[in-house]
Amino acid sequence: MNRPPASLIDTARGLWARTGTTGAVYLALLLLLVLSSVYVASQGRNLFTTANTVDLFTRSSLLGFLAIGQTLVILCRSLDLSVGYVAALSTVVAATTMAGDPSRIPLGIAATLGLAALIGLANGTIVTGLRVNPFIATLGTGLIIKGFLDTNFQGPAGDVPAAFQAFGHTRLGVLPISTLVMVGLAIAAIVFLHRSRTGYHMYAVGGDAEVARLSGVRDRVPVITAHVLCSMTAGVAGLLLAARFGTGSALVYGNGYELEAIAAVVLGGTYLLGGRGGVAGTLAGVFILATLDTVFNVLAVDPFVKDVLRGVIVITAVAIYARGRSSRSAGRVRFPSGGPPPPVPDPSPDPTEPPSEPGDAVPAPITRGGGR
């Protein structure tokens, strides 16, 4: 039987080693698409119709904006539970600022992203300056925003001009403009993480903040930057929602976007304790969840069952990642030779003592205090 050349095998192994978890996530996405299309076809339907494909990409764009920012925060060993509330507030700010006037679109975008950046700055400052757990800090921020929205906005607010609504509805073929913007933002985030000093510092702080500090890294700056960028991507998600609705909607925070974004990040292979992962894997995680949602909608799966299945998939993926890391850690040998540790040499014999005979007893060691 013909075997592939060794160079080809080595190349494949090297590529797999470089991609790591990210390669596994994209392989899982490919398998999911194949299996889903086969199963849907067995039910007499077509998964890849124009409407279904557009629905898949439309779902991925909103979740993608939130998950990209959440990835940056989680890489720094932090978390942001306020992104859903920031997105809801952003829809209101954008719609009320634009007020149906196309000339106010730039002002509405600037006001939305500026306010989102200030919220992220507050989150990062509370986490790093006051040393509040990020779970509590961002949850508290989200509840403050929720209280403000519930008090002042009971229904639709503002008016989004038709020119800006094109951001939520225009597409090139089956690709919505919002999906193309999301992919572009993901590429920019990847370049930022791997080509900028702050990106390197995010990985360093997430891996071990104390070691990073001793190496000269100002650990507060990467964390605050990650929170600011995370809130700004949530602001972009809010702009997309406003474009789709044509108005501000203060109640979209109830859709659980923050938890879905965290699920996409974890599914994409980013380590929840920071320092490992990246936006490329998150993008695959986003498309996995979007594919599942599209399949469930095509098959008219009960919403409760849909949530259960998604939860099982996320837990299974995290368990597989954890098991893989444990196996790699267990495979590391303590001694390079792979054998037992070298024996401790006996102390040099005293030349004044006669050599011991084979039958002589070995004296017991002397312990301090006369104890055993």
Short mmCIF file of all heavy atoms in Angstrom, two decimals, residues 111-172:
data_model
loop_
_atom_site.label_atom_id
_atom_site.label_comp_id
_atom_site.label_asym_id
_atom_site.label_seq_id
_atom_site.Cartn_x
_atom_site.Cartn_y
_atom_site.Cartn_z
N ALA A 111 -21.83 59.49 18.95
CA ALA A 111 -22.37 59.53 20.31
C ALA A 111 -22.52 58.13 20.88
O ALA A 111 -22.21 57.88 22.06
CB ALA A 111 -23.72 60.25 20.30
N THR A 112 -22.96 57.19 20.05
CA THR A 112 -23.14 55.81 20.51
C THR A 112 -21.82 55.17 20.91
O THR A 112 -21.68 54.61 22.00
CB THR A 112 -23.82 54.98 19.42
OG1 THR A 112 -25.09 55.57 19.09
CG2 THR A 112 -24.02 53.54 19.87
N LEU A 113 -20.84 55.27 20.03
CA LEU A 113 -19.54 54.64 20.31
C LEU A 113 -18.82 55.37 21.44
O LEU A 113 -18.11 54.74 22.24
CB LEU A 113 -18.68 54.61 19.05
CG LEU A 113 -19.23 53.78 17.88
CD1 LEU A 113 -18.25 53.80 16.71
CD2 LEU A 113 -19.50 52.35 18.32
N GLY A 114 -18.97 56.69 21.52
CA GLY A 114 -18.34 57.43 22.60
C GLY A 114 -18.89 57.05 23.96
O GLY A 114 -18.13 56.85 24.92
N LEU A 115 -20.23 56.95 24.05
CA LEU A 115 -20.83 56.54 25.32
C LEU A 115 -20.44 55.12 25.69
O LEU A 115 -20.15 54.82 26.86
CB LEU A 115 -22.35 56.68 25.23
CG LEU A 115 -23.14 56.28 26.49
CD1 LEU A 115 -22.72 57.13 27.69
CD2 LEU A 115 -24.64 56.41 26.25
N ALA A 116 -20.41 54.23 24.69
CA ALA A 116 -20.00 52.85 24.95
C ALA A 116 -18.57 52.78 25.46
O ALA A 116 -18.25 52.02 26.38
CB ALA A 116 -20.17 52.01 23.69
N ALA A 117 -17.70 53.62 24.88
CA ALA A 117 -16.31 53.65 25.34
C ALA A 117 -16.20 54.13 26.77
O ALA A 117 -15.40 53.60 27.56
CB ALA A 117 -15.47 54.53 24.41
N LEU A 118 -17.00 55.11 27.15
CA LEU A 118 -16.99 55.59 28.53
C LEU A 118 -17.46 54.50 29.50
O LEU A 118 -16.91 54.35 30.60
CB LEU A 118 -17.88 56.82 28.66
CG LEU A 118 -17.36 58.11 28.01
CD1 LEU A 118 -18.38 59.23 28.14
CD2 LEU A 118 -16.03 58.51 28.65
N ILE A 119 -18.46 53.72 29.10
CA ILE A 119 -18.92 52.62 29.96
C ILE A 119 -17.82 51.57 30.10
O ILE A 119 -17.57 51.05 31.20
CB ILE A 119 -20.20 52.00 29.37
CG1 ILE A 119 -21.34 53.01 29.40
CG2 ILE A 119 -20.59 50.74 30.14
CD1 ILE A 119 -22.59 52.55 28.69
N GLY A 120 -17.14 51.27 29.00
CA GLY A 120 -16.03 50.33 29.09
C GLY A 120 -14.90 50.84 29.95
O GLY A 120 -14.28 50.08 30.71
N LEU A 121 -14.62 52.15 29.85
CA LEU A 121 -13.59 52.75 30.70
C LEU A 121 -13.97 52.64 32.17
O LEU A 121 -13.12 52.34 33.02
CB LEU A 121 -13.40 54.21 30.31
CG LEU A 121 -12.37 55.01 31.11
CD1 LEU A 121 -10.98 54.42 30.95
CD2 LEU A 121 -12.38 56.48 30.68
N ALA A 122 -15.25 52.85 32.48
CA ALA A 122 -15.71 52.70 33.87
C ALA A 122 -15.56 51.25 34.33
O ALA A 122 -15.08 51.00 35.46
CB ALA A 122 -17.17 53.15 33.98
N ASN A 123 -15.92 50.31 33.49
CA ASN A 123 -15.77 48.89 33.87
C ASN A 123 -14.32 48.54 34.14
O ASN A 123 -13.99 47.92 35.15
CB ASN A 123 -16.32 48.00 32.75
CG ASN A 123 -17.84 47.93 32.73
OD1 ASN A 123 -18.49 48.14 33.74
ND2 ASN A 123 -18.41 47.64 31.57
N GLY A 124 -13.44 48.94 33.22
CA GLY A 124 -12.03 48.62 33.39
C GLY A 124 -11.42 49.28 34.60
O GLY A 124 -10.59 48.68 35.31
N THR A 125 -11.82 50.52 34.89
CA THR A 125 -11.29 51.23 36.05
C THR A 125 -11.77 50.59 37.35
O THR A 125 -10.99 50.46 38.31
CB THR A 125 -11.71 52.70 36.01
OG1 THR A 125 -11.27 53.29 34.77
CG2 THR A 125 -11.12 53.47 37.17
N ILE A 126 -13.03 50.17 37.39
CA ILE A 126 -13.55 49.52 38.59
C ILE A 126 -12.84 48.19 38.83
O ILE A 126 -12.47 47.86 39.97
CB ILE A 126 -15.07 49.30 38.46
CG1 ILE A 126 -15.80 50.64 38.46
CG2 ILE A 126 -15.60 48.43 39.59
CD1 ILE A 126 -17.27 50.54 38.13
N VAL A 127 -12.59 47.45 37.76
CA VAL A 127 -11.95 46.14 37.90
C VAL A 127 -10.50 46.28 38.33
O VAL A 127 -10.02 45.57 39.23
CB VAL A 127 -12.06 45.35 36.57
CG1 VAL A 127 -11.19 44.09 36.62
CG2 VAL A 127 -13.51 44.97 36.30
N THR A 128 -9.76 47.20 37.70
CA THR A 128 -8.33 47.31 37.98
C THR A 128 -8.02 48.25 39.14
O THR A 128 -7.09 48.00 39.91
CB THR A 128 -7.59 47.82 36.73
OG1 THR A 128 -8.11 49.11 36.34
CG2 THR A 128 -7.75 46.85 35.58
N GLY A 129 -8.78 49.35 39.25
CA GLY A 129 -8.49 50.33 40.30
C GLY A 129 -9.07 49.95 41.64
O GLY A 129 -8.37 49.99 42.66
N LEU A 130 -10.34 49.55 41.66
CA LEU A 130 -10.98 49.17 42.92
C LEU A 130 -10.85 47.70 43.24
O LEU A 130 -11.28 47.26 44.30
CB LEU A 130 -12.47 49.55 42.86
CG LEU A 130 -12.77 51.04 42.62
CD1 LEU A 130 -14.28 51.27 42.60
CD2 LEU A 130 -12.11 51.90 43.68
N ARG A 131 -10.27 46.93 42.31
CA ARG A 131 -10.05 45.48 42.49
C ARG A 131 -11.37 44.74 42.76
O ARG A 131 -11.42 43.81 43.57
CB ARG A 131 -9.07 45.22 43.64
CG ARG A 131 -7.69 45.81 43.41
CD ARG A 131 -7.01 45.20 42.20
NE ARG A 131 -5.70 45.78 41.94
CZ ARG A 131 -4.93 45.46 40.90
NH1 ARG A 131 -5.37 44.57 40.03
NH2 ARG A 131 -3.76 46.02 40.72
N VAL A 132 -12.42 45.16 42.06
CA VAL A 132 -13.70 44.47 42.17
C VAL A 132 -13.71 43.32 41.16
O VAL A 132 -13.24 43.48 40.02
CB VAL A 132 -14.87 45.44 41.89
CG1 VAL A 132 -16.21 44.72 41.97
CG2 VAL A 132 -14.83 46.59 42.89
N ASN A 133 -14.24 42.18 41.57
CA ASN A 133 -14.33 41.05 40.65
C ASN A 133 -15.07 41.47 39.39
O ASN A 133 -16.12 42.10 39.46
CB ASN A 133 -15.07 39.90 41.35
CG ASN A 133 -15.12 38.65 40.49
OD1 ASN A 133 -15.92 38.55 39.57
ND2 ASN A 133 -14.28 37.69 40.81
N PRO A 134 -14.53 41.15 38.20
CA PRO A 134 -15.18 41.61 36.95
C PRO A 134 -16.61 41.11 36.79
O PRO A 134 -17.44 41.80 36.19
CB PRO A 134 -14.27 41.06 35.85
CG PRO A 134 -13.44 40.00 36.50
CD PRO A 134 -13.29 40.42 37.93
N PHE A 135 -16.92 39.94 37.32
CA PHE A 135 -18.29 39.44 37.26
C PHE A 135 -19.23 40.41 37.98
O PHE A 135 -20.28 40.81 37.45
CB PHE A 135 -18.34 38.05 37.89
CG PHE A 135 -19.70 37.41 37.85
CD1 PHE A 135 -20.04 36.53 36.85
CD2 PHE A 135 -20.63 37.67 38.85
CE1 PHE A 135 -21.30 35.94 36.81
CE2 PHE A 135 -21.88 37.10 38.83
CZ PHE A 135 -22.22 36.22 37.80
N ILE A 136 -18.85 40.82 39.19
CA ILE A 136 -19.69 41.71 39.98
C ILE A 136 -19.68 43.12 39.40
O ILE A 136 -20.73 43.78 39.30
CB ILE A 136 -19.20 41.73 41.44
CG1 ILE A 136 -19.23 40.31 42.04
CG2 ILE A 136 -20.04 42.69 42.27
CD1 ILE A 136 -20.61 39.69 42.07
N ALA A 137 -18.50 43.60 38.99
CA ALA A 137 -18.39 44.97 38.49
C ALA A 137 -19.24 45.18 37.25
O ALA A 137 -20.02 46.15 37.16
CB ALA A 137 -16.93 45.29 38.19
N THR A 138 -19.11 44.30 36.26
CA THR A 138 -19.85 44.48 35.01
C THR A 138 -21.33 44.17 35.17
O THR A 138 -22.17 44.77 34.50
CB THR A 138 -19.24 43.61 33.90
OG1 THR A 138 -19.24 42.22 34.31
CG2 THR A 138 -17.81 44.03 33.62
N LEU A 139 -21.65 43.24 36.07
CA LEU A 139 -23.07 42.98 36.34
C LEU A 139 -23.70 44.21 36.99
O LEU A 139 -24.82 44.61 36.64
CB LEU A 139 -23.23 41.77 37.25
CG LEU A 139 -24.66 41.40 37.66
CD1 LEU A 139 -25.50 41.08 36.44
CD2 LEU A 139 -24.66 40.23 38.64
N GLY A 140 -22.99 44.85 37.91
CA GLY A 140 -23.49 46.06 38.53
C GLY A 140 -23.68 47.18 37.52
O GLY A 140 -24.69 47.90 37.53
N THR A 141 -22.72 47.34 36.61
CA THR A 141 -22.85 48.35 35.56
C THR A 141 -24.08 48.07 34.69
O THR A 141 -24.84 48.97 34.33
CB THR A 141 -21.59 48.38 34.69
OG1 THR A 141 -20.45 48.65 35.51
CG2 THR A 141 -21.70 49.44 33.62
N GLY A 142 -24.25 46.80 34.34
CA GLY A 142 -25.41 46.43 33.53
C GLY A 142 -26.73 46.72 34.22
O GLY A 142 -27.68 47.20 33.59
N LEU A 143 -26.79 46.48 35.52
CA LEU A 143 -28.02 46.74 36.27
C LEU A 143 -28.30 48.25 36.36
O LEU A 143 -29.47 48.67 36.34
CB LEU A 143 -27.93 46.13 37.66
CG LEU A 143 -27.92 44.59 37.70
CD1 LEU A 143 -27.75 44.10 39.14
CD2 LEU A 143 -29.19 44.02 37.08
N ILE A 144 -27.24 49.05 36.45
CA ILE A 144 -27.44 50.50 36.45
C ILE A 144 -28.04 50.95 35.13
O ILE A 144 -28.99 51.75 35.08
CB ILE A 144 -26.10 51.22 36.72
CG1 ILE A 144 -25.63 50.94 38.15
CG2 ILE A 144 -26.22 52.72 36.48
CD1 ILE A 144 -24.24 51.47 38.45
N ILE A 145 -27.50 50.42 34.02
CA ILE A 145 -28.03 50.76 32.70
C ILE A 145 -29.47 50.28 32.57
O ILE A 145 -30.34 50.99 32.04
CB ILE A 145 -27.15 50.15 31.60
CG1 ILE A 145 -25.73 50.73 31.67
CG2 ILE A 145 -27.76 50.38 30.23
CD1 ILE A 145 -24.75 50.07 30.72
N LYS A 146 -29.74 49.09 33.07
CA LYS A 146 -31.11 48.54 33.01
C LYS A 146 -32.09 49.44 33.76
O LYS A 146 -33.19 49.74 33.27
CB LYS A 146 -31.13 47.13 33.60
CG LYS A 146 -32.51 46.48 33.63
CD LYS A 146 -32.42 45.09 34.23
CE LYS A 146 -33.79 44.41 34.23
NZ LYS A 146 -34.76 45.10 35.10
N GLY A 147 -31.70 49.89 34.96
CA GLY A 147 -32.56 50.77 35.72
C GLY A 147 -32.83 52.07 34.99
O GLY A 147 -33.97 52.57 34.98
N PHE A 148 -31.80 52.62 34.34
CA PHE A 148 -31.99 53.86 33.58
C PHE A 148 -32.94 53.64 32.42
O PHE A 148 -33.85 54.46 32.17
CB PHE A 148 -30.64 54.35 33.08
CG PHE A 148 -30.73 55.51 32.12
CD1 PHE A 148 -30.99 56.79 32.57
CD2 PHE A 148 -30.57 55.30 30.75
CE1 PHE A 148 -31.08 57.86 31.69
CE2 PHE A 148 -30.66 56.35 29.87
CZ PHE A 148 -30.92 57.64 30.33
N LEU A 149 -32.77 52.54 31.69
CA LEU A 149 -33.63 52.28 30.54
C LEU A 149 -35.08 52.02 30.96
O LEU A 149 -36.02 52.51 30.34
CB LEU A 149 -33.09 51.07 29.75
CG LEU A 149 -31.75 51.27 29.04
CD1 LEU A 149 -31.27 49.97 28.42
CD2 LEU A 149 -31.85 52.36 27.99
N ASP A 150 -35.25 51.23 32.02
CA ASP A 150 -36.61 50.92 32.48
C ASP A 150 -37.34 52.15 32.98
O ASP A 150 -38.57 52.24 32.88
CB ASP A 150 -36.56 49.86 33.58
CG ASP A 150 -36.13 48.49 33.05
OD1 ASP A 150 -36.17 48.30 31.82
OD2 ASP A 150 -35.74 47.63 33.87
N THR A 151 -36.60 53.09 33.53
CA THR A 151 -37.22 54.29 34.08
C THR A 151 -37.61 55.30 33.00
O THR A 151 -38.66 55.96 33.10
CB THR A 151 -36.27 54.96 35.08
OG1 THR A 151 -35.93 54.03 36.11
CG2 THR A 151 -36.91 56.20 35.70
N ASN A 152 -36.78 55.41 31.96
CA ASN A 152 -36.97 56.48 30.99
C ASN A 152 -37.52 56.04 29.64
O ASN A 152 -38.00 56.89 28.87
CB ASN A 152 -35.63 57.20 30.76
CG ASN A 152 -35.11 57.87 32.01
OD1 ASN A 152 -35.53 58.97 32.36
ND2 ASN A 152 -34.19 57.21 32.71
N PHE A 153 -37.44 54.76 29.32
CA PHE A 153 -37.86 54.31 28.00
C PHE A 153 -38.71 53.04 28.15
O PHE A 153 -38.19 51.94 28.36
CB PHE A 153 -36.65 54.01 27.11
CG PHE A 153 -35.73 55.19 26.93
CD1 PHE A 153 -34.61 55.33 27.73
CD2 PHE A 153 -36.01 56.17 25.98
CE1 PHE A 153 -33.76 56.41 27.58
CE2 PHE A 153 -35.16 57.26 25.83
CZ PHE A 153 -34.05 57.38 26.62
N GLN A 154 -40.02 53.21 28.04
CA GLN A 154 -40.94 52.08 28.17
C GLN A 154 -41.27 51.44 26.84
O GLN A 154 -41.86 50.37 26.79
CB GLN A 154 -42.23 52.56 28.84
CG GLN A 154 -42.03 53.15 30.22
CD GLN A 154 -41.46 52.15 31.21
OE1 GLN A 154 -41.77 50.97 31.14
NE2 GLN A 154 -40.63 52.63 32.13
N GLY A 155 -40.92 52.09 25.76
CA GLY A 155 -41.24 51.55 24.43
C GLY A 155 -40.21 52.03 23.42
O GLY A 155 -39.11 52.47 23.78
N PRO A 156 -40.55 51.97 22.12
CA PRO A 156 -39.62 52.45 21.09
C PRO A 156 -39.27 53.91 21.29
O PRO A 156 -40.09 54.71 21.73
CB PRO A 156 -40.41 52.23 19.79
CG PRO A 156 -41.41 51.17 20.12
CD PRO A 156 -41.78 51.39 21.55
N ALA A 157 -38.03 54.24 20.95
CA ALA A 157 -37.56 55.62 21.13
C ALA A 157 -36.78 56.04 19.90
O ALA A 157 -36.01 55.27 19.33
CB ALA A 157 -36.68 55.71 22.37
N GLY A 158 -36.99 57.28 19.48
CA GLY A 158 -36.22 57.83 18.38
C GLY A 158 -36.64 57.29 17.03
O GLY A 158 -37.61 56.53 16.89
N ASP A 159 -35.86 57.67 16.02
CA ASP A 159 -36.15 57.27 14.64
C ASP A 159 -34.84 57.15 13.88
O ASP A 159 -34.03 58.09 13.87
CB ASP A 159 -37.07 58.30 13.98
CG ASP A 159 -37.48 57.89 12.58
OD1 ASP A 159 -37.37 56.69 12.25
OD2 ASP A 159 -37.87 58.79 11.79
N VAL A 160 -34.62 55.99 13.27
CA VAL A 160 -33.39 55.76 12.50
C VAL A 160 -33.67 56.07 11.04
O VAL A 160 -34.63 55.54 10.46
CB VAL A 160 -32.92 54.29 12.65
CG1 VAL A 160 -31.69 54.04 11.79
CG2 VAL A 160 -32.61 53.99 14.11
N PRO A 161 -32.88 56.93 10.40
CA PRO A 161 -33.11 57.25 8.98
C PRO A 161 -33.00 56.02 8.10
O PRO A 161 -32.28 55.05 8.40
CB PRO A 161 -32.00 58.26 8.67
CG PRO A 161 -31.51 58.74 9.98
CD PRO A 161 -31.74 57.65 10.97
N ALA A 162 -33.71 56.04 7.00
CA ALA A 162 -33.69 54.92 6.06
C ALA A 162 -32.29 54.67 5.52
O ALA A 162 -31.91 53.52 5.23
CB ALA A 162 -34.67 55.19 4.91
N ALA A 163 -31.50 55.73 5.37
CA ALA A 163 -30.14 55.56 4.86
C ALA A 163 -29.29 54.70 5.79
O ALA A 163 -28.44 53.92 5.32
CB ALA A 163 -29.49 56.94 4.66
N PHE A 164 -29.51 54.83 7.08
CA PHE A 164 -28.74 54.01 8.02
C PHE A 164 -29.36 52.62 8.20
O PHE A 164 -28.65 51.67 8.56
CB PHE A 164 -28.63 54.70 9.38
CG PHE A 164 -27.69 54.02 10.32
CD1 PHE A 164 -26.32 54.10 10.13
CD2 PHE A 164 -28.16 53.28 11.39
CE1 PHE A 164 -25.44 53.45 10.99
CE2 PHE A 164 -27.29 52.63 12.26
CZ PHE A 164 -25.93 52.73 12.06
N GLN A 165 -30.64 52.49 7.96
CA GLN A 165 -31.27 51.17 8.05
C GLN A 165 -30.69 50.20 7.03
O GLN A 165 -30.79 48.98 7.20
CB GLN A 165 -32.78 51.30 7.86
CG GLN A 165 -33.49 52.01 9.00
CD GLN A 165 -34.99 52.04 8.82
OE1 GLN A 165 -35.58 51.13 8.24
NE2 GLN A 165 -35.63 53.11 9.30
N ALA A 166 -30.08 50.75 5.98
CA ALA A 166 -29.44 49.88 4.99
C ALA A 166 -28.34 49.03 5.61
O ALA A 166 -28.04 47.93 5.13
CB ALA A 166 -28.86 50.73 3.86
N PHE A 167 -27.72 49.50 6.71
CA PHE A 167 -26.69 48.73 7.41
C PHE A 167 -27.24 47.41 7.93
O PHE A 167 -26.52 46.41 8.00
CB PHE A 167 -26.13 49.57 8.56
CG PHE A 167 -25.13 48.85 9.42
CD1 PHE A 167 -24.06 48.17 8.86
CD2 PHE A 167 -25.26 48.86 10.81
CE1 PHE A 167 -23.13 47.51 9.66
CE2 PHE A 167 -24.33 48.21 11.62
CZ PHE A 167 -23.28 47.53 11.04
N GLY A 168 -28.52 47.38 8.27
CA GLY A 168 -29.10 46.16 8.81
C GLY A 168 -29.81 45.29 7.80
O GLY A 168 -30.14 44.15 8.10
N HIS A 169 -30.05 45.82 6.57
CA HIS A 169 -30.87 45.07 5.62
C HIS A 169 -30.21 44.83 4.27
O HIS A 169 -30.59 43.91 3.56
CB HIS A 169 -32.20 45.79 5.40
CG HIS A 169 -33.02 45.95 6.65
ND1 HIS A 169 -33.69 44.90 7.23
CD2 HIS A 169 -33.25 47.04 7.44
CE1 HIS A 169 -34.32 45.33 8.32
NE2 HIS A 169 -34.06 46.62 8.47
N THR A 170 -29.21 45.64 3.90
CA THR A 170 -28.58 45.49 2.59
C THR A 170 -27.62 44.30 2.60
O THR A 170 -26.96 44.03 3.60
CB THR A 170 -27.81 46.77 2.22
OG1 THR A 170 -28.70 47.88 2.31
CG2 THR A 170 -27.25 46.68 0.82
N ARG A 171 -27.57 43.62 1.47
CA ARG A 171 -26.64 42.51 1.35
C ARG A 171 -26.08 42.42 -0.06
O ARG A 171 -26.68 42.93 -1.01
CB ARG A 171 -27.31 41.18 1.74
CG ARG A 171 -28.41 40.72 0.81
CD ARG A 171 -28.92 39.34 1.26
NE ARG A 171 -29.81 38.73 0.29
CZ ARG A 171 -31.12 38.80 0.31
NH1 ARG A 171 -31.72 39.48 1.29
NH2 ARG A 171 -31.85 38.20 -0.63
N LEU A 172 -24.92 41.78 -0.17
CA LEU A 172 -24.29 41.49 -1.45
C LEU A 172 -24.46 40.01 -1.72
O LEU A 172 -23.76 39.17 -1.13
CB LEU A 172 -22.80 41.86 -1.43
CG LEU A 172 -22.47 43.34 -1.17
CD1 LEU A 172 -20.97 43.54 -1.08
CD2 LEU A 172 -23.08 44.21 -2.25
#
